[in-house]
Amino acid sequence: EKPNTSPARAKRSCRTPWWKPFQTILGASSRPILVGPWRGELGFEALYWLPFLAALRDRLKLDPARLHVISRGGMGALYQAPRGAELFALRTPQDVRVENRIQYTRTGQMKQTHRTDFDRAVLKDAAAALGLSKYHVLDPGWMFQTLYPFWTNQRGLAWVHDHLRFEAMPVPDLPAGVEIAPNTVAVRFYFRATYPASEQTISFAIESIKQLASQQPVLILDSGLHLDDHADPKIPDIPNVRRLSKLTTLTPENNLAVQAAALARCCGFVGTYGGTAQLALRYGKPSISYYTDWHGTALAHRQLSDALSIQQGVPFICLKLGDGPLLQSVMPRFLVK
């Protein structure tokens, strides 16, 4: 979705001046810290929230045992924290979708810039489930308020790197019985603002998968679940192509962790530009992702992804549909045999 770029709206929050004092409190205290709840996009979690927490943990020298993470889809396995709660064990996917839609209606964006009544209720229930009575809350609003200047082009890459730490991410275990050949390519095409559903985008996804499958095994990272506003195109059965949803049982509480586990064991990723491509980058996997028109998403995310790609030596190729003929006309001149 298109990020809100109104400075006036950003000024509504009174959090920014309290960020430094709050960090001092967290560092001086020994109380547990409830982290979350995270109910947002996978790309923001991989590219910003996890690195933001890693940088904060190191800067304040926080004991990881104090962190109790509330995430969803099993993604708590990616946090450097021994304990946590699963959002989809506390609320249904429908509850979360409704809350996200209410937030978008009220604020014009899906970002968790403020702690809502829904979040407060989740935090209370998570604390009870974890046996916590006195604790601090580190919710995503602190991260969104802190990094807002970067997303609105008021600050650059050097500035945002001061607030993030891109450490190696843990790889979740695969479910029993699931095996992935190391030369497998992970694929996920899905519809979003930059890759809307159309005859062109559906046909391109199918033909790309056929082309890949003619050379090596392909694994489609589908879940078979309706958990957000992103719908996947219907892909027919294709030789040498497997679907993750057919290999194991995927549930709201484990689907993202299983997708991450599979992606981390593949040799690369191909699909829609977005969160899965950014997760592949964080796992050091080469990726090629596509879009049709660059609208509905901030250019800053692409800039940070490109910078990480260069720094880490991991290809992160993002192409616009329609540019293929141009690339085909010039690339053979530069191919190294």
Side-chain angles (χ1 to χ4, degrees):
E1 75 279 2
K2 186 175 181 179
N4 170 52
T5 57
S6 168
R9 179 165 299 177
K11 292 178 181 178
R12 292 180 187 177
S13 175
C14 61
R15 283 189 176 213
T16 304
W18 290 101
W19 177 226
K20 287 186 177 180
F22 182 56
Q23 292 180 72
T24 301
I25 293 172
L26 291 179
S29 173
S30 60
R31 287 185 178 181
I33 304 172
L34 270 181
V35 179
W38 182 266
R39 51 181 169 80
E41 301 153 295
L42 176 63
F44 267 79
E45 188 172 23
L47 203 58
Y48 298 108
W49 184 227
L50 281 163
F52 181 82
L53 293 176
L56 183 66
R57 186 190 66 231
D58 289 356
R59 185 164 61 250
L60 301 183
K61 296 180 172 54
L62 298 177
D63 181 355
R66 292 178 58 199
L67 305 180
H68 298 68
V69 175
I70 309 170
S71 189
R72 77 280 171 263
M75 288 293 279
L78 274 68
Y79 293 75
Q80 302 287 355
R83 298 189 66 197
E86 167 60 44
L87 178 59
F88 287 145
L90 300 170
R91 298 293 186 274
T92 68
Q94 177 67 11
D95 291 334
V96 177
R97 285 200 305 272
V98 169
E99 172 63 14
N100 287 342
R101 182 50 54 184
I102 291 173
Q103 177 179 298
Y104 185 83
T105 301
R106 290 176 176 173
T107 68
Q109 57 183 343
M110 296 288 284
K111 310 301 181 277
Q112 292 175 254
T113 56
H114 301 79
R115 194 184 308 171
T116 66
D117 290 340
F118 176 92
D119 295 332
R120 294 185 183 93
V122 168
L123 287 162
K124 181 179 179 180
D125 291 346
L130 293 167
L132 304 179
S133 57
K134 295 182 179 180
Y135 52 88
H136 300 291
V137 174
L138 180 60
D139 65 62
W142 294 109
M143 184 267 292
F144 281 108
Q145 290 297 326
T146 299
L147 302 186
Y148 184 86
F150 174 67
W151 296 323
T152 53
N153 299 317
Q154 300 172 50
R155 297 284 188 172
L157 287 169
W159 178 87
V160 80
H161 271 286
D162 289 339
H163 298 277
L164 306 174
R165 181 172 181 268
F166 293 95
E167 62 185 8
M169 293 195 308
V171 177
D173 294 330
L174 279 174
V178 177
E179 296 183 357
I180 299 174
N183 65 330
T184 300
V185 177
V187 170
R188 190 187 175 209
F189 284 95
Y190 59 94
F191 303 128
R192 52 170 293 169
T194 56
Y195 195 90
S198 69
E199 182 177 347
Q200 178 197 26
T201 55
I202 295 172
S203 176
F204 183 85
I206 294 173
E207 293 305 316
S208 293
I209 294 173
K210 287 181 178 179
Q211 173 66 18
L212 285 167
S214 69
Q215 305 171 67
Q216 58 198 113
V218 170
L219 179 63
I220 298 177
L221 301 178
D222 66 334
S223 68
L225 303 169
H226 178 49
L227 300 175
D228 53 33
D229 294 332
H230 297 317
D232 296 0
K234 292 183 178 180
I235 305 296
D237 290 337
I238 300 171
N240 210 26
V241 175
R242 297 191 298 171
R243 303 170 192 266
L244 187 60
S245 63
K246 301 296 184 182
L247 302 181
T248 188
T249 300
L250 295 173
T251 68
E253 295 179 32
N254 76 0
N255 77 99
L256 289 177
V258 176
Q259 291 182 57
L263 176 60
R265 289 168 172 82
C266 290
C267 66
F269 171 78
V270 175
T272 300
Y273 165 78
T276 310
Q278 289 157 346
L279 183 63
L281 173 64
R282 291 299 321 280
Y283 273 130
K285 302 297 178 178
S287 68
I288 300 178
S289 56
Y290 298 94
Y291 68 97
T292 56
D293 293 292
W294 198 271
H295 60 81
T297 189
L299 185 59
H301 312 323
R302 169 76 180 276
Q303 294 171 332
L304 178 57
S305 298
D306 286 340
L308 289 175
S309 168
I310 294 171
Q311 292 166 3
Q312 300 173 5
V314 178
F316 183 86
I317 301 171
C318 184
L319 299 174
K320 181 178 181 180
L321 260 61
D323 286 350
L326 175 62
L327 291 173
Q328 290 176 344
S329 69
V330 300
M331 284 302 294
R333 302 176 189 176
F334 302 101
L335 289 180
V336 177
K337 296 184 178 180

Short mmCIF file of all heavy atoms in Angstrom, two decimals, residues 198-227:
data_model
loop_
_atom_site.label_atom_id
_atom_site.label_comp_id
_atom_site.label_asym_id
_atom_site.label_seq_id
_atom_site.Cartn_x
_atom_site.Cartn_y
_atom_site.Cartn_z
N SER A 198 -3.86 -9.31 -13.53
CA SER A 198 -4.24 -9.03 -14.92
C SER A 198 -3.86 -10.24 -15.76
O SER A 198 -3.12 -11.13 -15.31
CB SER A 198 -3.52 -7.78 -15.45
OG SER A 198 -2.13 -8.03 -15.59
N GLU A 199 -4.32 -10.27 -16.97
CA GLU A 199 -3.96 -11.37 -17.87
C GLU A 199 -2.45 -11.39 -18.09
O GLU A 199 -1.83 -12.46 -18.15
CB GLU A 199 -4.68 -11.19 -19.22
CG GLU A 199 -4.41 -12.31 -20.20
CD GLU A 199 -5.19 -12.14 -21.50
OE1 GLU A 199 -6.11 -11.31 -21.54
OE2 GLU A 199 -4.88 -12.85 -22.49
N GLN A 200 -1.84 -10.21 -18.16
CA GLN A 200 -0.40 -10.13 -18.39
C GLN A 200 0.39 -10.69 -17.21
O GLN A 200 1.30 -11.50 -17.39
CB GLN A 200 0.02 -8.68 -18.62
CG GLN A 200 1.52 -8.52 -18.82
CD GLN A 200 2.01 -7.08 -18.63
OE1 GLN A 200 1.38 -6.30 -17.91
NE2 GLN A 200 3.10 -6.73 -19.29
N THR A 201 0.04 -10.27 -15.96
CA THR A 201 0.81 -10.70 -14.80
C THR A 201 0.61 -12.19 -14.52
O THR A 201 1.55 -12.88 -14.10
CB THR A 201 0.43 -9.88 -13.57
OG1 THR A 201 -0.98 -9.95 -13.35
CG2 THR A 201 0.84 -8.42 -13.74
N ILE A 202 -0.60 -12.69 -14.75
CA ILE A 202 -0.85 -14.12 -14.53
C ILE A 202 -0.09 -14.96 -15.55
O ILE A 202 0.57 -15.94 -15.20
CB ILE A 202 -2.36 -14.42 -14.60
CG1 ILE A 202 -3.09 -13.73 -13.45
CG2 ILE A 202 -2.61 -15.93 -14.56
CD1 ILE A 202 -4.60 -13.80 -13.53
N SER A 203 -0.17 -14.56 -16.81
CA SER A 203 0.54 -15.29 -17.86
C SER A 203 2.05 -15.27 -17.64
O SER A 203 2.74 -16.28 -17.82
CB SER A 203 0.21 -14.69 -19.23
OG SER A 203 0.95 -15.32 -20.25
N PHE A 204 2.56 -14.11 -17.23
CA PHE A 204 3.99 -13.99 -16.99
C PHE A 204 4.43 -14.93 -15.87
O PHE A 204 5.49 -15.58 -15.96
CB PHE A 204 4.35 -12.55 -16.63
CG PHE A 204 5.83 -12.33 -16.44
CD1 PHE A 204 6.65 -12.08 -17.52
CD2 PHE A 204 6.40 -12.40 -15.18
CE1 PHE A 204 8.02 -11.89 -17.36
CE2 PHE A 204 7.76 -12.21 -15.00
CZ PHE A 204 8.57 -11.96 -16.09
N ALA A 205 3.65 -15.00 -14.79
CA ALA A 205 3.99 -15.88 -13.67
C ALA A 205 4.04 -17.33 -14.13
O ALA A 205 4.99 -18.06 -13.81
CB ALA A 205 2.97 -15.71 -12.55
N ILE A 206 3.05 -17.76 -14.88
CA ILE A 206 2.99 -19.16 -15.33
C ILE A 206 4.16 -19.48 -16.26
O ILE A 206 4.83 -20.51 -16.10
CB ILE A 206 1.65 -19.42 -16.03
CG1 ILE A 206 0.49 -19.32 -15.03
CG2 ILE A 206 1.65 -20.81 -16.69
CD1 ILE A 206 -0.89 -19.39 -15.65
N GLU A 207 4.43 -18.60 -17.21
CA GLU A 207 5.51 -18.87 -18.16
C GLU A 207 6.88 -18.82 -17.48
O GLU A 207 7.79 -19.57 -17.85
CB GLU A 207 5.45 -17.85 -19.31
CG GLU A 207 4.22 -17.99 -20.20
CD GLU A 207 4.06 -19.40 -20.76
OE1 GLU A 207 5.09 -19.98 -21.22
OE2 GLU A 207 2.95 -19.94 -20.71
N SER A 208 7.04 -17.96 -16.48
CA SER A 208 8.31 -17.91 -15.74
C SER A 208 8.56 -19.22 -15.01
O SER A 208 9.67 -19.75 -15.01
CB SER A 208 8.28 -16.76 -14.74
OG SER A 208 8.26 -15.51 -15.39
N ILE A 209 7.51 -19.74 -14.40
CA ILE A 209 7.64 -21.00 -13.67
C ILE A 209 7.95 -22.15 -14.63
O ILE A 209 8.79 -23.01 -14.33
CB ILE A 209 6.37 -21.28 -12.85
CG1 ILE A 209 6.22 -20.22 -11.76
CG2 ILE A 209 6.40 -22.68 -12.24
CD1 ILE A 209 4.91 -20.29 -11.00
N LYS A 210 7.30 -22.16 -15.78
CA LYS A 210 7.59 -23.20 -16.78
C LYS A 210 9.05 -23.14 -17.23
O LYS A 210 9.72 -24.17 -17.36
CB LYS A 210 6.66 -23.02 -17.99
CG LYS A 210 5.22 -23.42 -17.75
CD LYS A 210 4.40 -23.24 -19.02
CE LYS A 210 2.95 -23.66 -18.83
NZ LYS A 210 2.15 -23.45 -20.07
N GLN A 211 9.53 -21.92 -17.46
CA GLN A 211 10.92 -21.76 -17.90
C GLN A 211 11.90 -22.24 -16.84
O GLN A 211 12.87 -22.96 -17.12
CB GLN A 211 11.18 -20.28 -18.22
CG GLN A 211 12.63 -19.93 -18.53
CD GLN A 211 13.14 -20.58 -19.80
OE1 GLN A 211 12.36 -21.03 -20.64
NE2 GLN A 211 14.46 -20.64 -19.96
N LEU A 212 11.64 -21.87 -15.59
CA LEU A 212 12.50 -22.31 -14.49
C LEU A 212 12.48 -23.83 -14.34
O LEU A 212 13.52 -24.47 -14.17
CB LEU A 212 12.05 -21.66 -13.18
CG LEU A 212 12.38 -20.18 -12.98
CD1 LEU A 212 11.61 -19.63 -11.80
CD2 LEU A 212 13.88 -20.00 -12.76
N ALA A 213 11.28 -24.40 -14.41
CA ALA A 213 11.11 -25.83 -14.19
C ALA A 213 11.74 -26.68 -15.29
O ALA A 213 12.02 -27.86 -15.09
CB ALA A 213 9.64 -26.17 -14.05
N SER A 214 11.97 -26.06 -16.45
CA SER A 214 12.63 -26.80 -17.53
C SER A 214 14.12 -26.97 -17.27
O SER A 214 14.79 -27.74 -17.96
CB SER A 214 12.42 -26.07 -18.86
OG SER A 214 13.15 -24.85 -18.90
N GLN A 215 14.63 -26.24 -16.25
CA GLN A 215 16.06 -26.28 -15.97
C GLN A 215 16.40 -26.87 -14.61
O GLN A 215 17.45 -27.50 -14.45
CB GLN A 215 16.63 -24.85 -16.03
CG GLN A 215 16.33 -24.13 -17.34
CD GLN A 215 16.70 -22.66 -17.26
OE1 GLN A 215 17.88 -22.32 -17.16
NE2 GLN A 215 15.72 -21.79 -17.29
N GLN A 216 15.51 -26.70 -13.62
CA GLN A 216 15.80 -27.17 -12.27
C GLN A 216 14.50 -27.25 -11.47
O GLN A 216 13.47 -26.71 -11.89
CB GLN A 216 16.79 -26.23 -11.59
CG GLN A 216 16.35 -24.78 -11.49
CD GLN A 216 17.51 -23.85 -11.22
OE1 GLN A 216 17.87 -23.04 -12.07
NE2 GLN A 216 18.11 -23.95 -10.04
N PRO A 217 14.54 -27.90 -10.29
CA PRO A 217 13.32 -28.02 -9.49
C PRO A 217 12.81 -26.67 -9.01
O PRO A 217 13.59 -25.77 -8.72
CB PRO A 217 13.76 -28.90 -8.30
CG PRO A 217 15.02 -29.55 -8.74
CD PRO A 217 15.68 -28.61 -9.70
N VAL A 218 11.50 -26.56 -8.93
CA VAL A 218 10.86 -25.33 -8.48
C VAL A 218 9.93 -25.65 -7.31
O VAL A 218 9.22 -26.67 -7.33
CB VAL A 218 10.05 -24.67 -9.63
CG1 VAL A 218 9.18 -23.53 -9.10
CG2 VAL A 218 10.98 -24.17 -10.71
N LEU A 219 9.96 -24.80 -6.30
CA LEU A 219 9.06 -24.93 -5.16
C LEU A 219 8.24 -23.65 -5.03
O LEU A 219 8.79 -22.57 -4.82
CB LEU A 219 9.85 -25.16 -3.87
CG LEU A 219 9.00 -25.29 -2.59
CD1 LEU A 219 8.09 -26.50 -2.65
CD2 LEU A 219 9.89 -25.33 -1.35
N ILE A 220 6.92 -23.77 -5.19
CA ILE A 220 6.04 -22.62 -5.02
C ILE A 220 5.74 -22.45 -3.54
O ILE A 220 5.26 -23.37 -2.88
CB ILE A 220 4.73 -22.81 -5.81
CG1 ILE A 220 5.02 -22.91 -7.31
CG2 ILE A 220 3.78 -21.65 -5.54
CD1 ILE A 220 3.79 -23.16 -8.16
N LEU A 221 6.03 -21.27 -3.01
CA LEU A 221 5.82 -20.99 -1.59
C LEU A 221 4.38 -20.54 -1.34
O LEU A 221 4.11 -19.40 -0.98
CB LEU A 221 6.81 -19.91 -1.12
CG LEU A 221 8.29 -20.23 -1.27
CD1 LEU A 221 9.13 -19.06 -0.80
CD2 LEU A 221 8.66 -21.50 -0.50
N ASP A 222 3.47 -21.46 -1.54
CA ASP A 222 2.06 -21.16 -1.29
C ASP A 222 1.66 -21.71 0.08
O ASP A 222 2.31 -22.60 0.63
CB ASP A 222 1.18 -21.76 -2.37
CG ASP A 222 1.19 -23.29 -2.35
OD1 ASP A 222 2.19 -23.87 -1.89
OD2 ASP A 222 0.21 -23.90 -2.81
N SER A 223 0.61 -21.15 0.64
CA SER A 223 0.15 -21.61 1.95
C SER A 223 -1.24 -22.21 1.90
O SER A 223 -1.62 -22.98 2.79
CB SER A 223 0.16 -20.44 2.94
OG SER A 223 -0.84 -19.49 2.60
N GLY A 224 -2.02 -21.84 0.87
CA GLY A 224 -3.40 -22.30 0.81
C GLY A 224 -4.29 -21.61 1.83
O GLY A 224 -5.43 -22.04 2.06
N LEU A 225 -3.79 -20.54 2.45
CA LEU A 225 -4.53 -19.84 3.50
C LEU A 225 -4.82 -18.41 3.08
O LEU A 225 -4.05 -17.80 2.31
CB LEU A 225 -3.71 -19.82 4.80
CG LEU A 225 -3.30 -21.18 5.36
CD1 LEU A 225 -2.29 -20.99 6.50
CD2 LEU A 225 -4.50 -21.96 5.85
N HIS A 226 -5.90 -17.85 3.58
CA HIS A 226 -6.23 -16.45 3.32
C HIS A 226 -5.96 -15.65 4.59
O HIS A 226 -6.80 -15.58 5.48
CB HIS A 226 -7.70 -16.32 2.92
CG HIS A 226 -8.14 -14.91 2.69
ND1 HIS A 226 -7.44 -14.02 1.91
CD2 HIS A 226 -9.22 -14.22 3.16
CE1 HIS A 226 -8.05 -12.84 1.89
NE2 HIS A 226 -9.13 -12.94 2.66
N LEU A 227 -4.77 -15.09 4.67
CA LEU A 227 -4.34 -14.42 5.90
C LEU A 227 -4.16 -12.92 5.73
O LEU A 227 -4.04 -12.20 6.72
CB LEU A 227 -3.04 -15.04 6.41
CG LEU A 227 -3.12 -16.55 6.73
CD1 LEU A 227 -1.74 -17.07 7.12
CD2 LEU A 227 -4.12 -16.81 7.84
#
